[in-house]
Amino acid sequence: MHKARLHGNAPSGAISHARSYEFFSKVVFTGTRRRIFGRLVDLADIGAGDEVLDVGCGPGYLTALAARAGGRAVGVDVSEPMIAEARRRRAGGNCSFQVGRAEALDLPDASFDVVVSSLALHHIPEQSRATAFAEMFRVLRPGGRVLIADFRPPKGHLATHLVGAAAGEAMRDNPVERIAPMLGDAGFDVAATTKVSWFLHCVRADKTGGVE
Ligand SMILES: C[S@@+](CC[C@H](N)C(=O)[O-])C[C@H]1O[C@@H](n2cnc3c(N)ncnc32)[C@H](O)[C@@H]1O
């Protein structure tokens, strides 16, 4: 999901070919997409009235599910074509989308109850991830929570090689075990780490500061 051909002429990390990505996502999840992303909504504990931010939302599949479970959901993505596709497919009602960078969210402090992000972290340059987590912390209300789901590379030489060839280095070498300590450094209390599927590593953490 990080291969150059998906990027075109776009900001670093962005995926430009939004329609191909939506198709690719359906194929990769082969009938499990609803169940797996529904599990993310459950793990993030999104409930009625929650305001949710989806960082690196792509075509907005998770954003739309979150909007259905919560009160309002906003998807942010650095790729203009991805946001156009998300708007075309999924905007409306309590679901909206805007172009933006995870490292510099154009959103007010303490304006969301939940931040989710799936399969986007490995696109953000490693040196910028701490800034992205600090931004997620900033836009969350005290008592809010974050759920980061990202690709867990398979173990073993052949599998590693195949992932590298198909998807590029960022996925082959993705250090998902660093997510929890980095969230801790950003001020979050890590609540749970979950293996959602063989390839999806998920960390839930809470912004407990300020809550009595
Ligand atoms: C593999 S897609 C995941 C999309 C969606 N979250 C999903 O689970 O299907 C990664 C997305 O992250 C976006 N992205 C990459 N770097 C970003 C950044 N710095 N800030 C916001 N979005 C970014 C890409 O444009 C792409 O749409």
Side-chain angles (χ1 to χ4, degrees), residues 13-15 21 37 56-58 77-79 82 100 102-103 118-119 123:
I15 296 181
Y21 179 78
F37 283 97
C57 63
D77 200 288
V78 75
S79 158
M82 217 38 120
E103 308 90 308
S118 75
L119 295 169
H123 287 265

Side-chain angles (χ1 to χ4, degrees), residues 77-124:
D77 200 288
V78 75
S79 158
E80 289 185 21
M82 217 38 120
I83 290 298
E85 184 68 3
R87 284 184 180 141
R88 193 178 70 80
R89 285 179 178 271
R90 298 182 171 113
N94 53 356
C95 193
S96 63
F97 297 94
Q98 64 188 62
V99 176
R101 300 193 72 84
E103 308 90 308
L105 293 169
D106 187 15
L107 293 162
D109 295 357
S111 50
F112 290 91
D113 302 294
V114 184
V115 173
V116 294
S117 180
S118 75
L119 295 169
L121 190 66
H122 64 273
H123 287 265
I124 300 172

